[in-house]
Amino acid sequence: MATRIDLTLDCTDAKLLAEFWKTALGYVDEPPPAPFETREEWFAQFDLPEDDSVDDAQWLCDPDGTGPRLSLLKVPEPKTAKNRLHLDIRVPGHGSAAERWARIRAESERLVEAGGSVLARFDEHHIVMADPEGNEFCVAAAAS
């Protein structure tokens, strides 16, 4: 069995990015660990500084349980350089190159409406985008 991974994005607004990535990936808020019923209850068990807030982190998961968990953690320093790792969102479906490109464009437009931005287009292949805090990702077709 392959090793499972989680992905973590540093950010300045975890709630904002959580909403964007839930829209982009179809993810949902991850429930708190048992036996806790809320994240606030879980968070209270830690001896954290007073200025730390449960809103400073968000945890998302694939509702089917197959994709990696996504953690969004508030950090004080801003993003200053290009990502060394980025996500590729793969748009499903078969068809001609023109049909696949139309689906890629439609998905990028949907993500712009959700707060993302287009950084570059590589016609007929993929679109480079950024989430609301500038983290880069690509939208491309899934393997046929």
Side-chain angles (χ1 to χ4, degrees), residues 6-81:
D6 290 348
L7 299 173
T8 301
L9 285 177
D10 291 344
C11 61
T12 59
D13 188 335
K15 288 188 129 202
L16 173 72
L17 279 194
E19 291 307 313
F20 176 82
W21 286 107
K22 285 191 286 189
T23 298
L25 301 176
Y27 274 31
V28 297
D29 291 315
E30 182 181 60
F36 303 101
E37 296 204 16
T38 66
R39 282 283 174 187
E40 290 79 9
E41 186 181 288
W42 171 78
F43 198 73
Q45 74 175 317
F46 301 105
D47 185 26
L48 297 172
E50 275 188 37
D51 61 344
D52 277 6
S53 164
V54 70
D55 292 334
D56 290 345
Q58 300 286 308
W59 294 268
L60 308 178
C61 64
D62 177 350
D64 297 329
T66 55
R69 183 175 78 153
L70 182 60
S71 302
L72 305 156
L73 306 177
K74 181 179 179 181
V75 296
E77 64 277 355
K79 179 182 176 328
T80 58

Side-chain angles (χ1 to χ4, degrees), residues 100-118:
R100 289 191 305 274
W101 182 240
R103 286 193 300 276
I104 292 167
R105 284 193 336 266
E107 180 65 3
S108 72
E109 289 166 9
R110 184 180 78 85
L111 296 175
V112 166
E113 289 176 15
S117 57
V118 172

